[in-house]
mmCIF file with all atom_site columns, all heavy atoms in Angstrom:
data_model
loop_
_atom_site.group_PDB
_atom_site.id
_atom_site.type_symbol
_atom_site.label_atom_id
_atom_site.label_alt_id
_atom_site.label_comp_id
_atom_site.label_asym_id
_atom_site.label_entity_id
_atom_site.label_seq_id
_atom_site.pdbx_PDB_ins_code
_atom_site.Cartn_x
_atom_site.Cartn_y
_atom_site.Cartn_z
_atom_site.occupancy
_atom_site.B_iso_or_equiv
_atom_site.pdbx_formal_charge
_atom_site.auth_seq_id
_atom_site.auth_comp_id
_atom_site.auth_asym_id
_atom_site.auth_atom_id
_atom_site.pdbx_PDB_model_num
ATOM 1  N N   . GLN A 1 64 ? 103.883 92.835  74.400 1.00 0.00 ? 70 GLN A N   1
ATOM 2  C CA  . GLN A 1 64 ? 102.736 92.353  73.646 1.00 0.00 ? 70 GLN A CA  1
ATOM 3  C C   . GLN A 1 64 ? 102.510 90.849  73.854 1.00 0.00 ? 70 GLN A C   1
ATOM 4  O O   . GLN A 1 64 ? 101.379 90.413  74.079 1.00 0.00 ? 70 GLN A O   1
ATOM 5  C CB  . GLN A 1 64 ? 102.904 92.664  72.162 1.00 0.00 ? 70 GLN A CB  1
ATOM 6  C CG  . GLN A 1 64 ? 102.754 94.153  71.841 1.00 0.00 ? 70 GLN A CG  1
ATOM 7  C CD  . GLN A 1 64 ? 102.942 94.436  70.370 1.00 0.00 ? 70 GLN A CD  1
ATOM 8  O OE1 . GLN A 1 64 ? 103.924 93.997  69.774 1.00 0.00 ? 70 GLN A OE1 1
ATOM 9  N NE2 . GLN A 1 64 ? 102.021 95.164  69.775 1.00 0.00 ? 70 GLN A NE2 1
ATOM 10 N N   . LEU A 1 67 ? 101.404 90.402  77.536 1.00 0.00 ? 73 LEU A N   1
ATOM 11 C CA  . LEU A 1 67 ? 100.043 90.893  77.764 1.00 0.00 ? 73 LEU A CA  1
ATOM 12 C C   . LEU A 1 67 ? 99.017  89.969  77.120 1.00 0.00 ? 73 LEU A C   1
ATOM 13 O O   . LEU A 1 67 ? 97.970  89.676  77.711 1.00 0.00 ? 73 LEU A O   1
ATOM 14 C CB  . LEU A 1 67 ? 99.902  92.309  77.206 1.00 0.00 ? 73 LEU A CB  1
ATOM 15 C CG  . LEU A 1 67 ? 98.531  92.972  77.393 1.00 0.00 ? 73 LEU A CG  1
ATOM 16 C CD1 . LEU A 1 67 ? 98.186  93.095  78.868 1.00 0.00 ? 73 LEU A CD1 1
ATOM 17 C CD2 . LEU A 1 67 ? 98.501  94.338  76.710 1.00 0.00 ? 73 LEU A CD2 1
ATOM 18 N N   . ARG A 1 68 ? 99.293  89.487  75.930 1.00 0.00 ? 74 ARG A N   1
ATOM 19 C CA  . ARG A 1 68 ? 98.369  88.576  75.256 1.00 0.00 ? 74 ARG A CA  1
ATOM 20 C C   . ARG A 1 68 ? 98.190  87.291  76.069 1.00 0.00 ? 74 ARG A C   1
ATOM 21 O O   . ARG A 1 68 ? 97.060  86.795  76.227 1.00 0.00 ? 74 ARG A O   1
ATOM 22 C CB  . ARG A 1 68 ? 98.876  88.257  73.849 1.00 0.00 ? 74 ARG A CB  1
ATOM 23 C CG  . ARG A 1 68 ? 97.913  87.375  73.048 1.00 0.00 ? 74 ARG A CG  1
ATOM 24 C CD  . ARG A 1 68 ? 98.390  87.181  71.625 1.00 0.00 ? 74 ARG A CD  1
ATOM 25 N NE  . ARG A 1 68 ? 98.290  88.421  70.844 1.00 0.00 ? 74 ARG A NE  1
ATOM 26 C CZ  . ARG A 1 68 ? 99.317  89.183  70.498 1.00 0.00 ? 74 ARG A CZ  1
ATOM 27 N NH1 . ARG A 1 68 ? 100.555 88.843  70.864 1.00 0.00 ? 74 ARG A NH1 1
ATOM 28 N NH2 . ARG A 1 68 ? 99.147  90.273  69.787 1.00 0.00 ? 74 ARG A NH2 1
ATOM 29 N N   . VAL A 1 84 ? 92.146  87.632  72.241 1.00 0.00 ? 90 VAL A N   1
ATOM 30 C CA  . VAL A 1 84 ? 92.579  88.991  72.557 1.00 0.00 ? 90 VAL A CA  1
ATOM 31 C C   . VAL A 1 84 ? 93.149  89.663  71.318 1.00 0.00 ? 90 VAL A C   1
ATOM 32 O O   . VAL A 1 84 ? 93.976  89.082  70.609 1.00 0.00 ? 90 VAL A O   1
ATOM 33 C CB  . VAL A 1 84 ? 93.656  88.981  73.670 1.00 0.00 ? 90 VAL A CB  1
ATOM 34 C CG1 . VAL A 1 84 ? 94.071  90.406  74.006 1.00 0.00 ? 90 VAL A CG1 1
ATOM 35 C CG2 . VAL A 1 84 ? 93.121  88.270  74.919 1.00 0.00 ? 90 VAL A CG2 1
ATOM 36 N N   . ASP A 1 85 ? 92.690  90.885  71.056 1.00 0.00 ? 91 ASP A N   1
ATOM 37 C CA  . ASP A 1 85 ? 93.220  91.717  69.981 1.00 0.00 ? 91 ASP A CA  1
ATOM 38 C C   . ASP A 1 85 ? 93.844  92.954  70.621 1.00 0.00 ? 91 ASP A C   1
ATOM 39 O O   . ASP A 1 85 ? 93.138  93.769  71.223 1.00 0.00 ? 91 ASP A O   1
ATOM 40 C CB  . ASP A 1 85 ? 92.108  92.121  69.015 1.00 0.00 ? 91 ASP A CB  1
ATOM 41 C CG  . ASP A 1 85 ? 92.609  92.972  67.853 1.00 0.00 ? 91 ASP A CG  1
ATOM 42 O OD1 . ASP A 1 85 ? 93.825  93.240  67.785 1.00 0.00 ? 91 ASP A OD1 1
ATOM 43 O OD2 . ASP A 1 85 ? 91.780  93.367  67.012 1.00 0.00 ? 91 ASP A OD2 1
ATOM 44 N N   . LEU A 1 86 ? 95.142  93.085  70.530 1.00 0.00 ? 92 LEU A N   1
ATOM 45 C CA  . LEU A 1 86 ? 95.869  94.171  71.192 1.00 0.00 ? 92 LEU A CA  1
ATOM 46 C C   . LEU A 1 86 ? 96.086  95.377  70.289 1.00 0.00 ? 92 LEU A C   1
ATOM 47 O O   . LEU A 1 86 ? 96.888  96.257  70.614 1.00 0.00 ? 92 LEU A O   1
ATOM 48 C CB  . LEU A 1 86 ? 97.227  93.666  71.692 1.00 0.00 ? 92 LEU A CB  1
ATOM 49 C CG  . LEU A 1 86 ? 97.201  92.491  72.672 1.00 0.00 ? 92 LEU A CG  1
ATOM 50 C CD1 . LEU A 1 86 ? 98.613  92.145  73.104 1.00 0.00 ? 92 LEU A CD1 1
ATOM 51 C CD2 . LEU A 1 86 ? 96.336  92.819  73.886 1.00 0.00 ? 92 LEU A CD2 1
ATOM 52 N N   . THR A 1 87 ? 95.348  95.464  69.196 1.00 0.00 ? 93 THR A N   1
ATOM 53 C CA  . THR A 1 87 ? 95.541  96.554  68.244 1.00 0.00 ? 93 THR A CA  1
ATOM 54 C C   . THR A 1 87 ? 95.404  97.926  68.907 1.00 0.00 ? 93 THR A C   1
ATOM 55 O O   . THR A 1 87 ? 96.143  98.864  68.588 1.00 0.00 ? 93 THR A O   1
ATOM 56 C CB  . THR A 1 87 ? 94.527  96.443  67.086 1.00 0.00 ? 93 THR A CB  1
ATOM 57 O OG1 . THR A 1 87 ? 94.668  95.166  66.467 1.00 0.00 ? 93 THR A OG1 1
ATOM 58 C CG2 . THR A 1 87 ? 94.744  97.534  66.066 1.00 0.00 ? 93 THR A CG2 1
ATOM 59 N N   . GLY A 1 88 ? 94.476  98.051  69.849 1.00 0.00 ? 94 GLY A N   1
ATOM 60 C CA  . GLY A 1 88 ? 94.220  99.352  70.457 1.00 0.00 ? 94 GLY A CA  1
ATOM 61 C C   . GLY A 1 88 ? 95.069  99.682  71.669 1.00 0.00 ? 94 GLY A C   1
ATOM 62 O O   . GLY A 1 88 ? 94.825  100.692 72.336 1.00 0.00 ? 94 GLY A O   1
ATOM 63 N N   . VAL A 1 89 ? 96.080  98.856  71.973 1.00 0.00 ? 95 VAL A N   1
ATOM 64 C CA  . VAL A 1 89 ? 96.857  99.036  73.203 1.00 0.00 ? 95 VAL A CA  1
ATOM 65 C C   . VAL A 1 89 ? 98.214  99.672  72.908 1.00 0.00 ? 95 VAL A C   1
ATOM 66 O O   . VAL A 1 89 ? 98.912  99.295  71.966 1.00 0.00 ? 95 VAL A O   1
ATOM 67 C CB  . VAL A 1 89 ? 97.085  97.687  73.914 1.00 0.00 ? 95 VAL A CB  1
ATOM 68 C CG1 . VAL A 1 89 ? 97.866  97.895  75.221 1.00 0.00 ? 95 VAL A CG1 1
ATOM 69 C CG2 . VAL A 1 89 ? 95.755  97.000  74.192 1.00 0.00 ? 95 VAL A CG2 1
#
Side-chain angles (χ1 to χ4, degrees):
Q70 288 179 310
L73 181 60
R74 184 175 290 106
V90 181
D91 181 1
L92 302 182
T93 303
V95 182

